[in-house]
Amino acid sequence: MSIVEFFSAEDVAWQENAPCATADFDFIPDIESDEDAAVAEEKWCRSCPVRTRCLSWAMLHGAEGYWGGTTTYQRNQLRRVRTRAKCPLCLSTSLVYADPHELCLACGVSWIRDVREEPIAATPVPAAGAA
């Protein structure tokens, strides 16, 4: 399991390493479309070395547009409190949970799960120091 490193929400130096930094594509359009989202994800986001930071920054700031291979709608769905059987981004079932969060081990996206219900598919993260 990989661990995402901590970074400040105000620190945007990571944007310099993003392939989209010099792209002539409108990543924050007035109207988002599935077609443009697919182009952005395939052409820039899929192989981006700072995709995780980009997505985290957009989630923290409530940004609109295409960030980290997601649309505004997809990020709004990730913010909703719920228990999931699959990751909404990559559709993987490799999920773990640590109250109150769920984490997709395949793509690294996390969300707050619905604490009113038991997880559908996620398994608990082992306690620190547990063998």
Side-chain angles (χ1 to χ4, degrees), residues 64-112:
E64 293 189 8
Y66 310 119
W67 293 83
T70 63
T71 63
T72 303
Y73 175 79
Q74 289 171 323
R75 289 189 304 280
N76 288 338
Q77 292 300 303
L78 287 171
R79 283 188 193 93
R80 291 180 57 202
V81 176
R82 64 177 64 176
T83 299
R84 302 176 190 269
K86 291 191 236 179
C87 173
L89 279 182
C90 70
L91 304 180
S92 170
T93 57
S94 300
L95 309 177
V96 295
Y97 73 92
D99 280 338
H101 296 90
E102 281 186 293
L103 171 71
C104 176
L105 297 177
C107 69
V109 168
S110 68
W111 54 88
I112 296 176

Side-chain angles (χ1 to χ4, degrees), residues 42-60:
E42 183 177 333
K43 196 167 182 181
W44 292 282
C45 302
R46 186 174 295 161
S47 61
C48 180
V50 295
R51 181 177 185 172
T52 304
R53 285 184 176 210
C54 180
L55 179 56
S56 297
W57 190 90
M59 293 289 290
L60 287 170

Side-chain angles (χ1 to χ4, degrees), residues 15-63:
Q15 291 178 344
E16 297 171 7
N17 296 325
C20 64
T22 58
D24 61 349
F25 182 82
D26 187 6
F27 286 91
I28 308 173
D30 292 333
I31 299 173
E32 295 179 36
S33 72
D34 291 339
E35 294 80 20
D36 285 346
V39 169
E41 200 279 332
E42 183 177 333
K43 196 167 182 181
W44 292 282
C45 302
R46 186 174 295 161
S47 61
C48 180
V50 295
R51 181 177 185 172
T52 304
R53 285 184 176 210
C54 180
L55 179 56
S56 297
W57 190 90
M59 293 289 290
L60 287 170
H61 290 278

